[in-house]
Amino acid sequence: MKVDGLLRAQLKAHRGLLALGLTAAFVQQVAMLAAPWAVQRAIDDGITPGEQGAALRWAGAVAAIAVVTVLAATAGQWWTAVAAHRAARALRTALVDRVAELDRAAVGAFGRGDLAIRATRDVDLVRDWVQGLAAWVRIAVTVALVLPAVALLDPALLVVGLVMLPLLLVANVFFPARFERANDELSRAHGERADAVEDLLTASAAVRGLGGEAVLVRRHHRRSAEVADRTMGV
Protein backbone atom coordinates (compact mmCIF):
# COMPACT_ATOMS: atom_id res chain seq x y z
CA MET A 1 0.00 0.00 0.00
CA LYS A 2 1.30 3.47 -0.87
CA VAL A 3 1.91 6.07 1.81
CA ASP A 4 -1.09 8.23 0.87
CA GLY A 5 -3.36 5.18 0.81
CA LEU A 6 -2.02 4.10 4.19
CA LEU A 7 -2.73 7.50 5.70
CA ARG A 8 -6.23 7.60 4.24
CA ALA A 9 -6.92 4.16 5.66
CA GLN A 10 -5.89 5.31 9.14
CA LEU A 11 -8.01 8.45 8.87
CA LYS A 12 -11.01 6.37 7.82
CA ALA A 13 -10.47 3.85 10.61
CA HIS A 14 -10.49 6.59 13.26
CA ARG A 15 -12.80 9.09 11.59
CA GLY A 16 -15.17 9.27 14.58
CA LEU A 17 -12.55 10.44 17.06
CA LEU A 18 -10.94 12.68 14.46
CA ALA A 19 -14.29 14.30 13.66
CA LEU A 20 -14.81 15.04 17.35
CA GLY A 21 -11.29 16.40 17.71
CA LEU A 22 -11.48 18.59 14.62
CA THR A 23 -14.91 19.91 15.63
CA ALA A 24 -13.53 20.81 19.05
CA ALA A 25 -10.58 22.56 17.37
CA PHE A 26 -13.07 24.55 15.26
CA VAL A 27 -15.03 25.61 18.35
CA GLN A 28 -11.81 26.49 20.17
CA GLN A 29 -10.57 28.76 17.41
CA VAL A 30 -13.92 30.49 16.93
CA ALA A 31 -14.07 31.16 20.67
CA MET A 32 -10.51 32.51 20.71
CA LEU A 33 -11.31 34.89 17.86
CA ALA A 34 -14.56 35.97 19.53
CA ALA A 35 -12.85 36.91 22.80
CA PRO A 36 -11.32 40.22 21.57
CA TRP A 37 -14.67 41.22 20.08
CA ALA A 38 -16.40 40.62 23.42
CA VAL A 39 -13.72 42.62 25.22
CA GLN A 40 -14.23 45.48 22.75
CA ARG A 41 -17.98 45.48 23.39
CA ALA A 42 -17.38 45.49 27.14
CA ILE A 43 -15.19 48.57 26.76
CA ASP A 44 -17.33 50.41 24.22
CA ASP A 45 -20.77 49.59 25.65
CA GLY A 46 -19.95 49.35 29.32
CA ILE A 47 -16.72 50.83 30.63
CA THR A 48 -16.42 53.93 28.41
CA PRO A 49 -20.02 55.20 28.85
CA GLY A 50 -20.09 54.07 32.48
CA GLU A 51 -22.82 51.46 32.00
CA GLN A 52 -22.04 49.02 34.77
CA GLY A 53 -24.73 46.53 33.74
CA ALA A 54 -23.48 46.29 30.18
CA ALA A 55 -19.90 45.97 31.39
CA LEU A 56 -20.86 43.08 33.67
CA ARG A 57 -22.82 41.34 30.94
CA TRP A 58 -19.94 41.50 28.49
CA ALA A 59 -17.48 40.52 31.22
CA GLY A 60 -19.62 37.43 31.79
CA ALA A 61 -19.54 36.76 28.05
CA VAL A 62 -15.74 36.98 28.08
CA ALA A 63 -15.60 34.53 30.98
CA ALA A 64 -17.97 32.14 29.20
CA ILE A 65 -15.87 32.33 26.04
CA ALA A 66 -12.76 31.54 28.09
CA VAL A 67 -14.43 28.47 29.57
CA VAL A 68 -15.53 27.27 26.14
CA THR A 69 -12.02 27.79 24.78
CA VAL A 70 -10.41 25.76 27.55
CA LEU A 71 -12.95 22.94 27.35
CA ALA A 72 -12.78 22.75 23.55
CA ALA A 73 -8.97 22.80 23.58
CA THR A 74 -8.81 20.06 26.21
CA ALA A 75 -11.38 17.86 24.48
CA GLY A 76 -9.85 18.41 21.04
CA GLN A 77 -6.37 17.50 22.20
CA TRP A 78 -7.71 14.43 23.97
CA TRP A 79 -9.68 13.11 20.99
CA THR A 80 -6.97 13.76 18.41
CA ALA A 81 -4.31 12.28 20.70
CA VAL A 82 -6.35 9.11 21.22
CA ALA A 83 -6.95 8.80 17.46
CA ALA A 84 -3.27 9.40 16.72
CA HIS A 85 -2.03 6.82 19.23
CA ARG A 86 -4.56 4.25 18.06
CA ALA A 87 -3.44 4.82 14.48
CA ALA A 88 0.20 4.41 15.52
CA ARG A 89 -0.60 1.20 17.39
CA ALA A 90 -2.49 -0.19 14.39
CA LEU A 91 0.39 0.65 12.05
CA ARG A 92 2.96 -0.90 14.34
CA THR A 93 0.86 -4.04 14.74
CA ALA A 94 0.36 -4.30 10.97
CA LEU A 95 4.10 -3.90 10.41
CA VAL A 96 4.98 -6.58 12.95
CA ASP A 97 2.39 -8.95 11.49
CA ARG A 98 3.75 -8.41 7.97
CA VAL A 99 7.34 -8.97 9.08
CA ALA A 100 6.31 -12.15 10.90
CA GLU A 101 5.09 -13.53 7.56
CA LEU A 102 8.45 -13.01 5.84
CA ASP A 103 11.19 -15.62 5.68
CA ARG A 104 14.77 -15.00 6.79
CA ALA A 105 15.96 -13.97 3.32
CA ALA A 106 13.18 -11.41 2.91
CA VAL A 107 13.78 -9.93 6.35
CA GLY A 108 17.51 -9.73 5.68
CA ALA A 109 16.90 -7.58 2.62
CA PHE A 110 15.61 -4.80 4.86
CA GLY A 111 18.16 -4.90 7.66
CA ARG A 112 17.40 -5.13 11.36
CA GLY A 113 17.91 -1.43 11.90
CA ASP A 114 15.63 -0.43 9.04
CA LEU A 115 12.77 -2.53 10.39
CA ALA A 116 13.31 -1.16 13.89
CA ILE A 117 13.14 2.42 12.62
CA ARG A 118 9.99 1.72 10.59
CA ALA A 119 8.28 0.36 13.70
CA THR A 120 9.36 3.22 15.96
CA ARG A 121 10.42 6.56 14.51
CA ASP A 122 8.45 6.37 11.25
CA VAL A 123 5.28 5.25 13.03
CA ASP A 124 5.74 8.12 15.48
CA LEU A 125 5.87 10.54 12.54
CA VAL A 126 2.49 9.26 11.38
CA ARG A 127 1.14 9.66 14.91
CA ASP A 128 2.37 13.27 15.05
CA TRP A 129 0.86 13.96 11.61
CA VAL A 130 -2.57 12.69 12.65
CA GLN A 131 -2.44 14.62 15.91
CA GLY A 132 -1.44 17.78 14.03
CA LEU A 133 -4.49 17.82 11.74
CA ALA A 134 -6.33 20.04 14.22
CA ALA A 135 -3.82 22.81 13.53
CA TRP A 136 -5.03 23.02 9.93
CA VAL A 137 -8.60 23.48 11.14
CA ARG A 138 -7.50 26.37 13.34
CA ILE A 139 -5.58 27.92 10.45
CA ALA A 140 -8.58 27.63 8.12
CA VAL A 141 -10.93 29.18 10.67
CA THR A 142 -8.50 32.03 11.32
CA VAL A 143 -8.15 32.81 7.62
CA ALA A 144 -11.91 32.58 7.00
CA LEU A 145 -12.79 34.94 9.85
CA VAL A 146 -9.81 37.27 10.12
CA LEU A 147 -9.44 38.20 6.45
CA PRO A 148 -13.00 39.61 6.12
CA ALA A 149 -12.53 41.47 9.41
CA VAL A 150 -9.26 42.96 8.16
CA ALA A 151 -10.97 43.99 4.91
CA LEU A 152 -13.59 45.88 6.91
CA LEU A 153 -10.98 47.61 9.04
CA ASP A 154 -8.49 48.56 6.32
CA PRO A 155 -8.45 47.25 2.73
CA ALA A 156 -4.72 48.02 2.51
CA LEU A 157 -4.02 45.52 5.26
CA LEU A 158 -6.05 42.94 3.35
CA VAL A 159 -3.88 43.52 0.27
CA VAL A 160 -0.76 42.94 2.35
CA GLY A 161 -2.23 39.71 3.72
CA LEU A 162 -3.20 38.48 0.27
CA VAL A 163 0.30 39.21 -1.04
CA MET A 164 1.68 36.91 1.65
CA LEU A 165 -0.56 33.99 0.65
CA PRO A 166 1.41 32.98 -2.51
CA LEU A 167 4.59 32.94 -0.42
CA LEU A 168 2.92 30.65 2.10
CA LEU A 169 1.72 28.36 -0.68
CA VAL A 170 5.22 28.17 -2.16
CA ALA A 171 6.64 27.35 1.26
CA ASN A 172 4.04 24.62 1.79
CA VAL A 173 4.88 23.09 -1.60
CA PHE A 174 8.66 23.31 -1.30
CA PHE A 175 9.40 22.44 2.30
CA PRO A 176 7.30 19.24 2.67
CA ALA A 177 9.07 17.67 -0.32
CA ARG A 178 12.44 18.74 1.04
CA PHE A 179 11.56 17.41 4.47
CA GLU A 180 10.45 14.09 3.00
CA ARG A 181 13.79 13.61 1.25
CA ALA A 182 15.74 14.61 4.34
CA ASN A 183 13.59 12.36 6.52
CA ASP A 184 14.19 9.38 4.21
CA GLU A 185 17.93 9.93 4.51
CA LEU A 186 17.66 10.27 8.27
CA SER A 187 15.63 7.05 8.51
CA ARG A 188 18.25 5.24 6.45
CA ALA A 189 21.02 6.60 8.70
CA HIS A 190 19.12 5.52 11.83
CA GLY A 191 18.68 2.05 10.37
CA GLU A 192 22.37 1.71 9.52
CA ARG A 193 23.37 2.86 12.99
CA ALA A 194 20.97 0.35 14.56
CA ASP A 195 22.64 -2.36 12.47
CA ALA A 196 26.04 -1.15 13.67
CA VAL A 197 24.88 -1.30 17.29
CA GLU A 198 23.54 -4.82 16.75
CA ASP A 199 26.81 -5.95 15.21
CA LEU A 200 28.81 -4.31 17.98
CA LEU A 201 26.79 -6.09 20.67
CA THR A 202 26.70 -9.50 19.03
CA ALA A 203 30.08 -9.73 17.29
CA SER A 204 32.42 -7.79 19.56
CA ALA A 205 33.02 -10.76 21.86
CA ALA A 206 33.97 -12.99 18.94
CA VAL A 207 36.53 -10.56 17.47
CA ARG A 208 37.90 -9.19 20.74
CA GLY A 209 41.67 -9.47 20.79
CA LEU A 210 41.86 -9.73 17.01
CA GLY A 211 41.49 -6.01 16.36
CA GLY A 212 37.97 -6.39 15.06
CA GLU A 213 36.30 -4.70 18.02
CA ALA A 214 37.97 -1.37 17.21
CA VAL A 215 36.69 -1.65 13.64
CA LEU A 216 33.13 -2.17 14.89
CA VAL A 217 33.43 0.78 17.28
CA ARG A 218 34.72 3.07 14.52
CA ARG A 219 31.88 1.92 12.29
CA HIS A 220 29.40 2.79 15.01
CA HIS A 221 30.98 6.22 15.44
CA ARG A 222 30.72 6.88 11.70
CA ARG A 223 27.08 5.86 11.64
CA SER A 224 26.33 8.01 14.69
CA ALA A 225 28.05 11.02 13.11
CA GLU A 226 25.96 10.54 9.98
CA VAL A 227 22.77 10.43 12.07
CA ALA A 228 23.78 13.70 13.71
CA ASP A 229 24.46 15.32 10.33
CA ARG A 230 21.18 14.10 8.86
CA THR A 231 19.29 15.27 11.94
CA MET A 232 20.67 18.77 11.56
CA GLY A 233 19.67 18.63 7.88
CA VAL A 234 16.07 17.97 8.81
Side-chain angles (χ1 to χ4, degrees):
M1 182 181 292
K2 295 182 179 181
V3 175
D4 55 350
L6 184 62
L7 293 178
R8 282 197 298 269
Q10 292 304 317
L11 292 178
K12 184 177 180 180
H14 304 91
R15 57 184 179 273
L17 284 172
L18 282 174
L20 290 173
L22 297 181
T23 301
F26 174 84
V27 173
Q28 173 196 355
Q29 196 64 16
V30 171
M32 288 183 63
L33 295 175
W37 172 77
V39 171
Q40 177 190 1
R41 296 300 302 270
I43 295 174
D44 294 344
D45 298 347
I47 297 176
T48 300
E51 295 290 339
Q52 184 176 4
L56 290 175
R57 286 194 300 272
W58 283 110
V62 172
I65 290 173
V67 172
V68 171
T69 302
V70 172
L71 292 177
T74 302
Q77 291 178 5
W78 171 265
W79 283 320
T80 54
V82 171
H85 282 82
R86 287 183 180 179
R89 183 181 61 185
L91 285 174
R92 191 170 288 115
T93 301
L95 177 60
V96 172
D97 291 342
R98 177 61 64 87
V99 172
E101 297 174 356
L102 302 177
D103 56 23
R104 184 180 297 272
V107 172
F110 291 97
R112 296 181 295 272
D114 181 67
L115 291 175
I117 292 301
R118 300 303 173 192
T120 53
R121 182 177 177 275
D122 288 0
V123 171
D124 290 341
L125 286 175
V126 175
R127 179 201 64 199
D128 294 341
W129 177 81
V130 174
Q131 195 165 355
L133 290 175
W136 291 103
V137 173
R138 291 192 289 270
I139 291 173
V141 171
T142 301
V143 171
L145 296 182
V146 171
L147 285 183
V150 171
L152 293 175
L153 291 174
D154 190 342
L157 291 178
L158 177 63
V159 172
V160 173
L162 293 177
V163 169
M164 294 296 104
L165 286 180
L167 299 178
L168 292 175
L169 292 176
V170 170
N172 278 279
V173 170
F174 173 75
F175 283 106
R178 182 181 180 277
F179 174 78
E180 183 178 2
R181 292 192 299 269
N183 183 64
D184 289 341
E185 291 297 323
L186 179 58
S187 296
R188 178 191 58 78
H190 271 292
E192 292 179 352
R193 184 179 66 171
D195 286 340
V197 171
E198 180 70 17
D199 293 340
L200 184 60
L201 294 175
T202 58
S204 60
V207 298
R208 187 172 299 163
L210 302 176
E213 185 178 11
V215 174
L216 294 176
V217 171
R218 287 195 297 270
R219 176 171 174 254
H220 175 262
H221 289 339
R222 288 196 303 271
R223 297 290 186 260
S224 297
E226 183 180 5
V227 168
D229 292 340
R230 298 296 182 185
T231 302
M232 296 304 297
V234 173

